[in-house]
Amino acid sequence: MTWLSVLTGTVLITVVLVDVWLTILHPDAEGPLAGAVRRLVWRVSSLVGGRGDTPRRTPLVWAGPLLVTGTFLAWIGPLVFGVALLVWPYLDGYHRVVGYGPAGFVDALYFAAGTLTVLGYGDLTPDTPAQKLLAVAVGALGFALFAALATYLIELITGLTVRNGFALAVHDQVRGTDGAGLIARSLTEEGIEATRQRCAAWAESLRALDDTVRRYPLVALTYRPRRPDYDIEPALEHLTEATVAALLAARRGPWQGLGQRAEELAYALLRTQDTIARRYLSRRLPDTGPTDTDDEVGRLLGQLHCRLAEALGERFGEPLSDDDRLAADVLSRSTVFLDGLRNWSAPGVKPHSVGARPATDRVVNR
């Protein structure tokens, strides 16, 4: 049975190391073990929080700390067990202090945990050169693992700061209206150049958010705040509205100089949505825009066009045309994304049950 114990221990250690390497050190990947823990904890939290007519935020608030703790335990536990399986068959050759007694598997776990945490009590020590080298390697492995976990936690906090800053900035700029209203207000009160700068700043914030989601899928969207102004979902919804409104304005009258910045914002938004969908929603967004028969998108786009015309005046009065295809594409793909994101946060909760309209209506109606 010695070979089976050693083989099983080697497999466990290899699985954990690969999972840690993918999750912490690879910027575009997430280990299957870490991903499974993340999905399980979030699924349970969202189901508990989404049960009933009104979603409860408390389970989602605790999901982030729970899944980080669960992931770290899912790495440390199998690693300790794997090392214990490596040393267990050879414990009879280990030196023990007087009165220690016979050594069993519990002693192997004790030795593995003490060596990985670089404690090394000394009451159970290897005697053979091979086992001594193994102990040194396990101690180095444990030191590297806990150093990596500490560094990763610091990076997670930095990533959360970026995400929270993005949500707060959008919330403060919207100030009780929506993204379309913000674009209209910016064009009328601040002018086109200020609106261009605002769109460029939003695009830069979306790129930072995209990088945070890509590098830290463990917590980027699963660390949920208690305060609604820190919530990422409303911020993404407002930016969808603002992007479509900016694209429509950029095709008309004196606001055509907004075009380049509006398109930059649109592509940054779509890329961020696609990254979130891949990481959390287990899907890809549609690659193509709406068809000519997509009546729902046309209706929503027409309503948004009317709102902007009322706010910006007669100079905005040009009807919708094929030049507005990008705006329709953004609106079409974003409604699919927002519906999926909302169902991911509160599965089974109907939008009207929580006092809100469906995402396809909320994007352009208030």
Side-chain angles (χ1 to χ4, degrees), residues 63-78:
L66 285 175
L67 68 89
V68 171
T69 303
T71 302
F72 286 1
L73 291 178
W75 287 336
I76 296 172

Side-chain angles (χ1 to χ4, degrees), residues 75-94:
W75 287 336
I76 296 172
L79 193 59
V80 170
F81 195 79
V83 173
L85 288 175
L86 287 182
V87 303
W88 182 32
Y90 306 99
L91 280 181
D92 290 338
Y94 276 49

Side-chain angles (χ1 to χ4, degrees), residues 15-34 75 152 214-215 217 279:
V15 168
V16 171
L17 292 182
V18 171
D19 207 83
V20 172
W21 180 79
L22 288 173
T23 304
I24 294 181
L25 299 180
H26 199 294
D28 293 313
E30 181 182 28
L33 188 60
W75 287 336
Y152 189 62
R214 185 175 60 90
R215 294 175 60 191
R279 283 285 195 247

Side-chain angles (χ1 to χ4, degrees), residues 11-358:
V11 170
L12 282 176
I13 293 172
T14 302
V15 168
V16 171
L17 292 182
V18 171
D19 207 83
V20 172
W21 180 79
L22 288 173
T23 304
I24 294 181
L25 299 180
H26 199 294
D28 293 313
E30 181 182 28
L33 188 60
V37 172
R38 174 176 61 80
R39 287 188 292 270
L40 176 62
V41 173
W42 181 259
R43 182 67 175 174
V44 173
S45 301
S46 59
L47 285 174
V48 173
R51 189 171 296 166
D53 291 336
T54 304
R56 295 162 49 219
R57 299 294 298 177
T58 303
L60 300 186
V61 169
W62 287 108
L66 285 175
L67 68 89
V68 171
T69 303
T71 302
F72 286 1
L73 291 178
W75 287 336
I76 296 172
L79 193 59
V80 170
F81 195 79
V83 173
L85 288 175
L86 287 182
V87 303
W88 182 32
Y90 306 99
L91 280 181
D92 290 338
Y94 276 49
H95 175 75
R96 286 163 282 181
V97 296
V98 177
Y100 191 94
F105 187 70
V106 174
D107 300 277
L109 287 173
Y110 165 75
F111 175 81
T115 306
L116 278 169
T117 53
V118 202
L119 295 175
Y121 292 110
D123 51 353
L124 183 65
T125 56
D127 283 337
T128 65
Q131 291 299 313
K132 288 179 179 179
L133 290 176
L134 176 63
V136 171
V138 170
L141 177 62
F143 178 81
L145 174 65
F146 286 105
L149 295 184
T151 303
Y152 189 62
L153 282 176
I154 296 174
E155 293 179 345
L156 289 182
I157 294 173
T158 303
L160 290 174
T161 300
V162 171
R163 189 206 66 183
N164 290 341
F166 165 78
L168 283 174
V170 174
H171 179 271
D172 291 344
Q173 291 171 10
V174 170
R175 289 179 295 177
T177 178
D178 60 10
L182 175 57
I183 288 294
R185 185 174 62 206
S186 180
L187 287 172
T188 55
E189 298 179 4
E190 299 175 324
I192 187 172
E193 185 57 35
T195 308
R196 282 170 48 86
Q197 295 176 5
R198 190 183 295 275
C199 289
W202 282 337
E204 185 64 30
S205 296
L206 283 169
R207 283 189 283 267
L209 177 64
D210 179 84
D211 187 61
T212 298
V213 173
R214 185 175 60 90
R215 294 175 60 191
Y216 311 116
L218 194 63
V219 298
L221 261 69
T222 49
Y223 246 92
R224 288 308 178 93
R226 292 183 182 273
R227 291 174 49 180
D229 48 351
Y230 282 87
D231 201 338
I232 193 68
E233 290 183 26
L236 290 171
E237 186 173 312
H238 291 318
L239 274 194
T240 296
E241 300 159 349
T243 301
V244 177
L247 288 170
L248 290 178
R251 298 294 183 184
R252 285 157 181 83
W255 305 287
Q256 292 183 0
L258 186 60
Q260 182 177 354
R261 294 303 186 187
E263 291 180 3
E264 179 184 352
L265 175 59
Y267 292 126
L269 176 68
L270 292 176
R271 183 174 55 249
T272 302
Q273 291 179 352
D274 187 64
T275 300
I276 294 174
R278 289 169 181 263
R279 283 285 195 247
Y280 295 97
L281 310 184
S282 301
R283 71 167 88 172
R284 292 186 59 184
L285 295 179
D287 292 328
T288 58
T291 64
D292 294 335
T293 60
D294 195 340
D295 295 334
E296 179 66 10
V297 172
R299 180 182 68 84
L300 297 174
L301 203 62
Q303 291 179 358
L304 182 55
H305 178 269
C306 291
R307 284 189 54 199
L308 292 173
E310 292 177 359
L312 298 176
E314 295 180 357
R315 291 179 296 176
F316 192 85
E318 299 179 22
L320 292 171
S321 66
D322 290 339
D323 291 338
D324 297 306
R325 178 58 57 184
L326 180 57
D329 186 15
V330 171
L331 182 57
S332 177
R333 296 176 63 181
S334 296
T335 51
V336 174
F337 167 76
L338 292 171
D339 279 332
L341 186 62
R342 192 164 297 104
N343 185 63
W344 175 75
S345 296
V349 176
K350 297 180 180 179
H352 70 268
S353 299
V354 296
R357 300 175 184 176

